[in-house]
Amino acid sequence: MASAKHYFDDPTTAVLSGLRGVTLINPSLLFDEKNKIIYRHPSSIASPKNVSVICGGGSGHEPGFSAFVGQGALTACVAGTIFASPSAQQVRACLSQRLPAETEGVVVVVPNYTGDVLNFGMGIEKARAMGKKVEMVVVADDVGVGRAKGGKVGRRGLSGTALVVKICGALAEAGGASVEDCAKVGRLVVDNLVSVGASLSRVHVPGRSLEEAKDEEERLGPGLVEIGMGIHNEPGCEKVKTDLPGLVKIMLAQLLDQNDKDRAYVKIEKGEDTVLLINNFGGISNLELSGVVTEIVNQLDRDYGLHPRRVISGTFFGSLNGPGFIVSVLRLANTGLGSGKSVLELLDAPAEATGWSASVKPETWEKKYGQVNATDEEEKNDIRSSNLKVDPSMLKSSLKSGLNKLISCEAEVTHYDSIVGDGDCGVGLKRGAEGINQYLEEDDIPADALSSLTKIAGIVEATMDGTSGALYAIFLNTLAANVRKQDSANMTDLTPSMWAQALGESLKALGVYTPAQPGDRTLMDALVPFVETLKSTGNTKQAAEAAKRGAESTKGMKPSLGRSVYVGGKGHNEVPDPGAFGLSQFLTGLAEAL
């Protein structure tokens, strides 16, 4: 469900504060609060005679388009309330009061929505009547709504608007271009541009009720994604239940399949030069958005033979906190304006606008990078063999017993950690246990104790992350080093007392990296009693019982280290420490098989 919690409950305050913030991030900008206009300070405009470029629309699409105001992009932007067009009066104020008086003319870029087109149109006609030279470029790049459904309204304006703004702004900034030139290039970009969006949910607008957010979630339904959803909460063209590869396949087909006569707006041939823009609605994590980029680029290559000259990803034309994204593909057509003014060169031109986040230089894109052998090579096995022997079958059975017991309690460990930590302890322990289990199943276990111990330490390093993973990896590597100290010239069975000696030394080494001691509510509350009891008795079962008691003692123990310290609350009174509990389960299972 779209989050109904906001830092601003009043939408008017949210819009005005947000616009004011744009000028704090870029000090070359000014804010006309009455008309909700962001515009460039006159002293920041090197050539006031150059063409001015403005854009605008409802708020809620940030950084579009207030944060696109700046050198090399927009001269000004007019903002409406959330998801509502600015008025014609606001547009007139921008055209007549907030642009350089000497400007050769103005290009107005408008996403194709009825309110925006009408209000900007009225402002434009008023400016023309006053003798100003003004051209309007309407961006209609959406393919989610096809010809039949779009009717006379036509395609909606989506994130491709950001590309039009950047290219027109760069041409105007370069100087020497007429209003007609800038408008012509803007329309050329629109004519070669296709976009489609998809979202897991509609968004919640500040100031509206929680019930509305619940209604929207029920409208879409669990497990469904809506393809073709607009940037103002407009319904899409279809709801599907699919995974990311399936979703991307449908979206790319709508963009590029020439057999779909309802949507084949732009013919892009295999191998043609293109630009790919992946736009975040605002609610997708950077991690997931980067994964979306990977899937899209792979399918473009595999299914359409397209290798974009530029891949741009980020939030450019948002929809508040929407959990969706838009894919835009731009075919690079010839502007006819000569060197330095191609679509790609204009897109690459520098811009001092905080909303334009394409930071990779064109030289980096154009450089030919040679192939690098990226094949993983196993580290050279420079571990010297030892004469310390273990029974391979006994080692395998005892380890598997402990590991399987640990895997079986993953849900319990996770439950405990969700109360006192971040909920990942159980998964991390299970991942490491499964990695070691796989090694025990697939490889022949050698009689050389050091060989197996070194291998297991490497598996823990590779499969377990977080603090506990690092501690276990350090402990196992120091254990291998301390076992080696007991090696001799003759074949020797590694006895429990020898294990205990090495474990004790490893505990001391672990103290270099963590101050944790019994009583701090960590895995040490189980590990230390195990090692000390094994040293004093030589009995693994008694040592495992001591570890179990140590883990149980952490229930009600106030944490001194670890994430539990930050979580706070009284959860530590209800459950044992997850790490200590998980370790005690492994040691119990290990002892049961001996």
Side-chain angles (χ1 to χ4, degrees), residues 38 59 110 190 210 237 241 257 262 290 374 414 417 511 583:
I38 296 291
S59 295
V110 185
V190 173
L210 178 61
C237 56
K241 182 173 285 190
D257 185 2
D262 194 40
S290 187
T414 298
D417 198 38
L583 176 58

Side-chain angles (χ1 to χ4, degrees), residues 189-225:
V189 173
V190 173
D191 290 342
N192 288 275
L193 183 61
V194 284
S195 301
V196 67
S199 184
L200 298 172
S201 174
R202 297 176 81 183
V203 304
H204 183 265
V205 178
R208 298 185 182 174
S209 68
L210 178 61
E211 287 68 29
E212 181 178 312
K214 293 178 180 177
D215 291 343
E216 292 301 341
E217 181 69 12
E218 292 173 2
R219 184 193 67 80
L220 182 55
L224 293 173
V225 60

Side-chain angles (χ1 to χ4, degrees), residues 472 518 522-534 537 539-555 557 576-591:
Y472 279 120
T522 68
L523 63 86
M524 301 296 277
D525 286 289
L527 180 59
V528 172
F530 175 82
V531 173
E532 290 182 346
T533 303
L534 187 63
T537 67
N539 188 303
T540 307
K541 287 184 171 58
Q542 290 182 27
E545 283 294 326
K548 184 178 180 180
R549 289 192 299 272
E552 290 172 347
S553 73
T554 61
K555 186 175 180 180
M557 186 184 292
D577 176 71
F581 175 78
L583 176 58
S584 72
Q585 292 296 298
F586 165 73
L587 295 173
T588 298
L590 181 79

Side-chain angles (χ1 to χ4, degrees), residues 406 425 429 456-457 460-461 464 466-479 510 523-524 526-527 578-584 586:
L406 177 57
C425 182
L429 290 173
I456 290 170
V460 169
E461 289 178 28
M464 289 183 66
T467 302
S468 60
L471 288 174
Y472 279 120
I474 291 171
F475 184 74
L476 289 172
N477 278 297
T478 58
L479 179 60
L510 197 57
L523 63 86
M524 301 296 277
L527 180 59
F581 175 78
L583 176 58
S584 72
F586 165 73

Side-chain angles (χ1 to χ4, degrees), residues 327-504:
V327 185
S328 298
V329 180
L330 170 63
R331 177 179 172 271
L332 295 177
N334 185 5
T335 64
L337 296 177
S339 176
K341 295 181 179 179
S342 70
V343 170
L344 192 60
E345 287 170 315
L346 294 170
L347 192 66
D348 285 337
E352 195 175 67
T354 57
W356 182 251
S357 56
S359 59
V360 180
K361 296 185 295 185
E363 296 82 5
T364 303
W365 280 108
E366 297 302 323
K367 181 178 178 180
K368 302 300 181 184
Y369 295 92
Q371 291 293 321
V372 174
N373 182 10
T375 304
D376 289 335
E377 295 182 6
E378 289 192 14
E379 295 182 10
K380 293 181 179 180
N381 185 10
D382 55 1
I383 301 297
R384 291 182 290 110
S385 60
S386 75
N387 290 319
L388 298 169
K389 293 169 53 183
V390 291
D391 181 346
S393 61
M394 178 63 74
L395 179 65
K396 182 174 182 177
S397 63
S398 57
L399 282 176
K400 286 185 68 66
S401 176
L403 294 167
N404 288 335
K405 193 171 186 67
L406 177 57
I407 291 169
S408 68
C409 73
E410 179 268 325
E412 197 171 1
V413 176
T414 298
H415 171 65
Y416 295 159
D417 198 38
S418 66
I419 295 173
V420 297
D422 54 7
D424 66 349
C425 182
V427 174
L429 290 173
K430 181 181 179 182
R431 192 184 299 122
E434 288 176 338
I436 299 170
N437 254 345
Q438 184 176 353
Y439 158 66
L440 296 174
E441 288 293 337
E442 296 178 357
D443 291 18
D444 292 329
I445 308 303
D448 182 351
L450 269 177
S451 177
S452 293
L453 190 54
T454 303
K455 181 71 175 181
I456 290 170
I459 293 170
V460 169
E461 289 178 28
T463 59
M464 289 183 66
D465 47 22
T467 302
S468 60
L471 288 174
Y472 279 120
I474 291 171
F475 184 74
L476 289 172
N477 278 297
T478 58
L479 179 60
N482 287 310
V483 166
R484 180 175 295 282
K485 290 178 181 178
Q486 302 180 76
D487 195 10
S488 64
N490 301 315
M491 286 292 181
T492 306
D493 289 330
L494 196 58
T495 63
S497 62
M498 295 170 71
W499 276 113
Q501 178 65 29
L503 287 165

